[in-house]
Amino acid sequence: MSFPKDPSFRNDLRQRGYRLTPQRERILRYFAEIPVGTHLSAEELYQRLLEEEKISLATAYRTLKLLASMGLLRELDFAEGHKHYELNTNQESPHQHIICTSCGLTIEFLGGKLFETGQQIARKYEFEIIDVQFKIFGLCPACQPPPKKR
Amino acid sequence: MSFPKDPSFRNDLRQRGYRLTPQRERILRYFAEIPVGTHLSAEELYQRLLEEEKISLATAYRTLKLLASMGLLRELDFAEGHKHYELNTNQESPHQHIICTSCGLTIEFLGGKLFETGQQIARKYEFEIIDVQFKIFGLCPACQPPPKKR
DNA sequence: GTGCTTGCAAATGCTTTGCAGGGTG
DNA sequence: CACCCTGCAAAGCATTTGCAAGCAC
C-alpha cells in the first residue's frame, strides 16, 4: 500500500461518512512505515509521534479504534491490560502470536491455514469476518519453571 | 472433578506455597457447578456470590488471577475492557469463541485440532503451554452491515 | 456554512494495592 | 505463632467522553 495517498483508504473513509484528517493519515502512514508486525499501544504510538508533530492521546485512541473497525489495523490483546495495534496487511494468513504470561515476551509465527479455518467457522455462523486471532499463552524458556509468586 | 475436596486442587495450592481458604474453595466450586463454558467477569462472579455469603471484590480479582495462573481457570479476553474466566476442563481441545465486535455476542464452538496445532507450535519455541485461544472477531448476522457510526 | 474532528481535561471503569486484622498450616 | 489472606478503601491505569474551537467537504 502507498500512504498517505492510498485511494482505498480515502474511499473507505468517505464511504462510511468519515473525514480524511491529517491525524488519521499520519497514524496509518506511521504503521505502514515501520516493520511489518510491529504492534504498538496507543501510548507508544503517541510517544513516537510526539517527535514530529503532536497528536493528542485522545485522538490516538479514537483513531486506532476507527482504523481497527475499518479493518485497516488489527487490534491485539495480549491480556496485559492495554491493547496493541498493528497494520492489517489483509493477507490470507496473518501472523499469530505466542505470549509468555510471565515476562510478556511475544513471538509471532505464520498462521498457516488458521485463517482459512476461521473463515469456515465464520461462514457457518454467518459472521462477517474481521479478524482471526490464534494465541498461545505459556511460559517462555527463561520463565520456566514458574516463580512461586508473582 | 469433585469440589471442594478435590485433592489435586489442594495439592496444587500447597505445592506452590498457597493456602486453602474458604474463598478460594468457594470460587472454584462455583465454576464447577455452573454449565461448562460459562464465563464470568470478576464483577459478575462477585454479584452471584453475594447471594450466599460475601467475598470481597478484591479477593475475587486476586483469586481469579491465582486460579488462572495455576491453570484451573481459563482467562478469556474478548476485547471488551474486562476479562472473563471459565473453568479449565483440561481437555485436549478446549472450546473456542467467535465474537461480534458490535453487539458483543459470543458463540463457542469446538476447537477440533486447534489445541494440537498450538502444542506443536509451543514445542517449537520451547514454551510450556498454558492455554490456546482461537478467536474470530466479526459481525454477527444481526449487526451486518455495520452502522456508520458507533 | 454544516457538522465531523480535535485537544484538553475531567470522568469512567476495571483492576491493583497498602494496610490492619484474621485465619491457615 | 509466623506468615499468608482477606476486606476495605484508596490508588492506579488505560480508555472514554463533554465541550468549545477548528477544519474538511
Side-chain angles (χ1 to χ4, degrees):
Chain A
M1 283 197 270
S2 67
F3 295 97
K5 300 178 182 166
D6 181 60
S8 69
F9 170 43
R10 302 193 156 192
N11 289 336
D12 282 350
L13 282 175
R14 286 206 193 91
Q15 283 173 24
R16 301 196 183 209
Y18 299 123
R19 292 180 179 172
L20 181 64
T21 67
Q23 291 87 340
R24 289 171 180 174
E25 222 171 272
R26 183 85 180 65
I27 289 175
L28 187 56
R29 181 158 42 83
Y30 186 79
F31 275 101
E33 288 170 352
I34 59 182
V36 176
T38 304
H39 34 72
L40 305 174
S41 65
E43 180 68 36
E44 286 167 340
L45 175 68
Y46 172 71
Q47 291 296 335
R48 292 191 182 201
L49 294 182
L50 268 188
E51 293 168 20
E52 286 188 43
E53 91 196 288
K54 187 178 176 185
I55 288 178
S56 83
L57 187 56
T59 297
Y61 274 105
R62 282 188 278 232
T63 303
L64 288 170
K65 201 170 193 178
L66 176 70
L67 296 178
S69 77
M70 292 172 62
L72 296 171
L73 296 181
R74 281 225 287 170
E75 185 180 81
L76 305 169
D77 201 318
F78 299 142
E80 298 172 300
H82 56 269
K83 295 187 174 82
H84 280 151
Y85 295 83
E86 68 179 19
L87 192 64
N88 187 350
T89 54
N90 289 312
Q91 55 193 16
E92 278 305 278
S93 192
H95 61 261
Q96 304 297 352
H97 302 85
I98 181 164
I99 305 116
C100 177
T101 57
S102 180
C103 70
L105 170 70
T106 70
I107 299 173
E108 54 185 62
F109 56 87
L110 296 177
K113 293 181 179 171
L114 290 170
F115 189 77
E116 196 182 313
T117 302
Q119 282 183 311
Q120 288 169 10
I121 296 165
R123 204 172 300 131
K124 177 176 174 185
Y125 294 104
E126 297 178 53
F127 267 59
E128 184 181 300
I129 205 163
I130 290 177
D131 193 18
V132 170
Q133 296 189 11
F134 186 74
K135 281 184 286 199
I136 302 170
F137 291 100
L139 297 173
C140 72
C143 293
Q144 301 167 27
K148 285 191 79 173
K149 297 274 173 148
R150 13 165 295 117
Chain B
M1 283 196 271
S2 67
F3 295 97
K5 299 179 181 167
D6 180 60
S8 69
F9 170 43
R10 303 192 156 193
N11 289 337
D12 283 348
L13 282 175
R14 285 204 194 93
Q15 283 173 24
R16 302 196 182 208
Y18 299 122
R19 291 179 179 173
L20 182 65
T21 66
Q23 291 86 341
R24 288 173 180 175
E25 222 171 271
R26 183 83 180 60
I27 289 174
L28 187 56
R29 182 159 40 84
Y30 187 79
F31 275 101
E33 289 170 351
I34 59 183
V36 175
T38 304
H39 34 73
L40 304 174
S41 65
E43 180 68 37
E44 286 166 341
L45 175 68
Y46 172 72
Q47 290 297 336
R48 293 192 181 200
L49 293 183
L50 269 188
E51 293 167 20
E52 285 189 42
E53 89 195 291
K54 187 178 175 185
I55 289 178
S56 83
L57 187 54
T59 297
Y61 273 105
R62 283 189 277 232
T63 303
L64 288 170
K65 200 170 194 180
L66 176 70
L67 297 178
S69 78
M70 291 172 63
L72 296 172
L73 296 181
R74 280 226 288 170
E75 184 180 79
L76 304 169
D77 201 318
F78 300 140
E80 297 172 301
H82 56 269
K83 295 188 173 82
H84 281 150
Y85 295 85
E86 67 179 20
L87 192 64
N88 187 350
T89 54
N90 289 313
Q91 55 193 16
E92 278 305 278
S93 191
H95 61 262
Q96 304 297 351
H97 302 86
I98 181 164
I99 304 117
C100 177
T101 57
S102 179
C103 70
L105 170 71
T106 71
I107 299 173
E108 53 184 63
F109 56 87
L110 295 177
K113 292 180 180 171
L114 290 170
F115 190 77
E116 197 181 311
T117 302
Q119 283 182 312
Q120 288 168 9
I121 296 165
R123 204 173 299 132
K124 177 176 173 186
Y125 293 104
E126 297 178 54
F127 268 58
E128 184 182 300
I129 206 164
I130 290 177
D131 193 17
V132 169
Q133 296 188 12
F134 186 73
K135 279 184 285 201
I136 302 170
F137 291 100
L139 296 173
C140 72
C143 293
Q144 299 166 26
K148 284 190 80 171
K149 296 274 173 148
R150 14 163 295 114

